[in-house]
Amino acid sequence: MSVKQIPTGKNIDGEEVIAIELTNSKGTYVKIFNYGAIINKFVVKNAKGEMQDIVLGFDTFEEYLDPAYLTAYPYLGTIVGRYANRIKNGSFTIDDETYQLAQNAGTDTLHGGIVGFDKKVWDVIELGDDSQSFVTLQYESVDGEENFPGNLIIDLSFELTENDELILSYEAETDQATAINLTHHGYFNLAPNGGSIKDHKQQIFASNYLEQDDNYSVTGKLIPVAGTPLDFTKPKAIGHDWNEDEGYDQTFVLDKIYGDLSLATKTIEEESGLTLSVYTTEPVAHLYTAKYLSVKNGKGGKDYSSYGAFCVETQHHPNAVNVPAFPSTILRPEDLYTQTTIYKVSLNK
């Protein structure tokens, strides 16, 4: 096991951007930037014995700041906050106080607003050693940032285990009641040479999904997956039932006890022999098959396009701050926000 800090030579708003590399004894390694808590690399050994990077990203940090990339910004590998997914009409009310956020997705607020946690330099507050490969990052979101109330302090730890598990552990505290819904936006492709993920086999342990309006904002209605293209209760190719012009961009309500750490999704790729299993304490998983992905000169000079990756975004119900029937996303000063999500890689052959 090892942990390395690697300076990027880049400073943003006076804060140094650092890469942290986590490695286990098998040679599996994960590279994380403290800017946006970006997972830049997740390299594992596939069934052919080859070392394979299973996440999309860039070869250098500077490319994450390229204006062309930011124009059609897909949140490649970033943390998402203060509030993941969409808040309907960009507004919510807590204790009779209404807060209006920037409407950066039509009339709705997406992924925390104009400058979310994905564009912040996080402090490196703790590092592991030869016995435990982890890093803990911290960010303080001040009262009024993106018009969210309360000073919010977030700790996010990444730990790589000997079992090829990447464990993301979140904690957050606030001094004022606020809305919070955190997730990580990793783009995965398990095929050795990339390309479309339509032949990846997907399983989602969910009997219901959330209805969405025309702007992908959830309405509050749960719909059974049975008999629909959204039924992934048994493994099937992602492209088997999809509308190939739309793919999937849908939130699934997991069949689980609220708060328990349990298996949410499983994705299998035959050529590499890799399986990605996602475990989470969160109540929902959002499957996004990257319809809007359009990135030039990714790793190795590859262009990334629609359906070139999938995301499994574990979180609370989107727009829950406006839907009382959903589990609450209001954090109060006397409470502690916690979340654990595990990305486990294994061989299926």
Side-chain angles (χ1 to χ4, degrees), residues 46-342:
N46 64 23
K48 301 176 182 179
E50 303 165 337
M51 299 308 291
Q52 179 183 332
D53 193 350
I54 61 171
V55 297
L56 274 57
F58 294 106
D59 291 323
T60 66
F61 171 72
E62 287 76 14
E63 290 168 287
Y64 288 96
L65 307 178
D66 184 84
Y69 164 69
L70 295 174
T71 298
Y73 183 53
Y75 300 84
L76 273 187
T78 69
I79 182 71
V80 173
R82 184 178 299 197
Y83 207 98
N85 216 298
R86 287 162 175 79
I87 296 177
K88 185 63 180 174
N89 295 323
S91 68
F92 59 90
T93 300
I94 301 177
D95 299 336
D96 298 323
E97 181 79 21
T98 298
Y99 300 91
Q100 181 62 56
L101 312 175
Q103 294 163 302
N104 62 326
T107 59
D108 301 333
T109 300
L110 175 66
H111 290 338
I114 304 298
V115 183
F117 294 174
D118 54 290
K119 294 187 177 74
K120 302 294 185 179
V121 179
W122 292 54
D123 295 326
V124 178
I125 63 169
E126 190 175 6
L127 288 170
D129 51 28
D130 292 343
S131 65
Q132 195 175 16
S133 188
F134 75 91
V135 61
T136 301
L137 306 178
Q138 185 177 86
Y139 177 67
E140 182 173 358
S141 177
V142 299
D143 180 33
E145 183 175 283
E146 291 294 323
N147 214 32
F148 284 93
N151 295 296
L152 182 74
I153 298 176
I154 312 99
D155 288 355
L156 171 57
S157 294
F158 298 85
E159 180 183 359
L160 179 64
T161 73
E162 291 287 23
N163 294 322
D164 291 342
E165 298 166 318
L166 181 61
I167 304 174
L168 277 62
S169 302
Y170 306 70
E171 288 189 353
E173 294 180 292
T174 183
D175 62 0
Q176 183 180 340
T178 192
I180 180 173
N181 192 15
L182 304 178
T183 193
H184 209 275
H185 212 300
Y187 283 75
F188 293 92
N189 190 313
L190 305 182
N193 298 306
S196 173
I197 46 83
K198 66 183 179 67
D199 292 328
H200 284 48
K201 290 183 180 177
Q202 183 69 51
Q203 186 172 18
I204 304 175
F205 298 90
S207 300
N208 296 280
Y209 69 95
L210 297 180
E211 182 183 65
Q212 297 175 163
D213 64 20
D214 291 341
N215 198 39
Y216 302 102
S217 185
V218 303
T219 65
K221 182 179 179 181
L222 274 68
I223 302 176
V225 301
T228 77
L230 293 161
D231 189 349
F232 287 97
T233 52
K234 295 180 180 179
K236 67 176 180 180
I238 289 177
H240 186 272
D241 292 322
W242 72 1
N243 175 343
E244 61 183 0
D245 293 326
E246 292 295 329
Y248 293 104
D249 194 351
Q250 203 80 41
T251 302
F252 294 80
V253 181
L254 300 171
D255 297 332
K256 59 178 296 181
I257 297 173
Y258 180 74
D260 280 4
L261 179 64
S262 58
L263 181 61
T265 72
K266 184 180 286 188
T267 313
I268 300 167
E269 206 284 319
E270 295 295 339
E271 186 179 356
S272 67
L274 293 175
T275 294
L276 178 69
S277 301
V278 181
Y279 298 78
T280 189
T281 56
E282 293 298 274
V284 309
H286 188 91
L287 176 67
Y288 175 49
T289 54
K291 172 186 176 180
Y292 296 105
L293 183 63
S294 179
V295 174
K296 300 294 184 183
N297 297 312
K299 292 176 187 174
K302 288 185 178 179
D303 293 343
Y304 301 139
S305 56
S306 297
Y307 315 126
F310 68 95
C311 305
V312 177
E313 303 162 53
T314 55
Q315 58 192 271
H316 268 56
H317 299 54
N319 197 36
V321 72
N322 288 314
V323 183
F326 287 167
S328 177
T329 51
I330 303 301
L331 180 68
R332 296 184 180 276
E334 63 271 20
D335 298 326
L336 176 69
Y337 171 95
T338 61
Q339 184 207 137
T340 301
T341 291
I342 302 174

